[in-house]
Each structure stands twice: as C-alpha cells, then as structure tokens.
Amino acid sequence: MSGAVSPRSGPGSMTLSSQERGFVTLGVNYRYYLDAIPALGARFDVETLDVTAELLTAMRTTADALGVDWSLVLRSDRPGAAPQDAANLRRLVALAAAGLEERLTTQTEPLLVVEAAPLARYDRLAVLEQLADKATARPAA
C-alpha cells in the first residue's frame, strides 16, 4: 500500500493526534481506499466508524419509529423535491444524527472515521468543527 497515505498525514501524525486527543485528516488515493481502512484500523488499533452506514441505519430506524415511509425519505433526498419534503428530510437527519454526533464527541477511545460525506451533505459538520477546535476538551482522539 505504498503511497496510499500522504506522508504529511502518516503514522507520526496519527500518533501525535492520539496523544493530543485531536484528529488528523488523511488523504488516501482512491485506488487504496478500501484497503487503507482495515490497515489503518489495525495499525493504530482503532475502531472504524462508517458515518454513512451509521447515519443511514439511524435514519431508517427513526423513520420507522415515526411511521415515515422510507420511499418518501428517498424521494425527499432528490434535487427538485418538494420544499416541505426536503425540510422534513433535514429534520429526520437531525434526529437521526444526534446519537452519531454524541458518539463522536464523547467516545473515550480513538476512532477512524470514514465515509463522512453525509455530514457535509446534510449540514452537520459542526460536530467535526468542534473536534477540530483544540480548545475543546474531549475524552479521546
């Protein structure tokens, strides 16, 4: 997997990040991405958190609990969705993301966070901004 991870964000950065209870963003060549996830998890003995999978599972569970048909959720996530449907989708995401966001801020062991694009898509990046702030106390990297 040589060349898979940028040298500026390699093992030294990961170790320092863990010691400082911070985080580091890794850039991985897409050709190595799937292999890099278990390799990094094993190398640094960290649990992998797939944000996309966790958020989709939480959204589906929340939709079911609220009696919302999943096909409506999917239709609401398309360009051109009715404004009310799009607004309801944002509310569903906010409800579903609460547990994930809490986990990210209270986890006592380091995490390898992958597939975080939905945080940007649904305007939930505040949790990562909070973690990026070195003045914010946190239990783990």
Side-chain angles (χ1 to χ4, degrees), residues 45-113:
D45 192 27
V46 294
E47 177 185 351
T48 300
L49 174 65
D50 183 329
V51 172
T52 298
E54 295 272 335
L55 185 58
L56 281 172
T57 298
M59 286 173 64
R60 188 127 200 187
T61 300
T62 303
D64 287 346
L66 296 172
V68 176
D69 185 87
W70 188 246
S71 65
L72 175 60
V73 174
L74 296 177
R75 286 192 310 271
S76 300
D77 196 27
R78 294 188 302 195
Q84 186 62 42
D85 289 343
N88 287 337
L89 174 64
R90 295 268 181 213
R91 285 199 243 346
L92 176 67
V93 170
L95 290 170
L100 173 65
E101 292 169 354
E102 181 178 347
R103 181 174 179 201
L104 285 169
T105 57
T106 62
Q107 178 80 18
T108 58
E109 298 296 323
L111 289 171
L112 176 61
V113 178

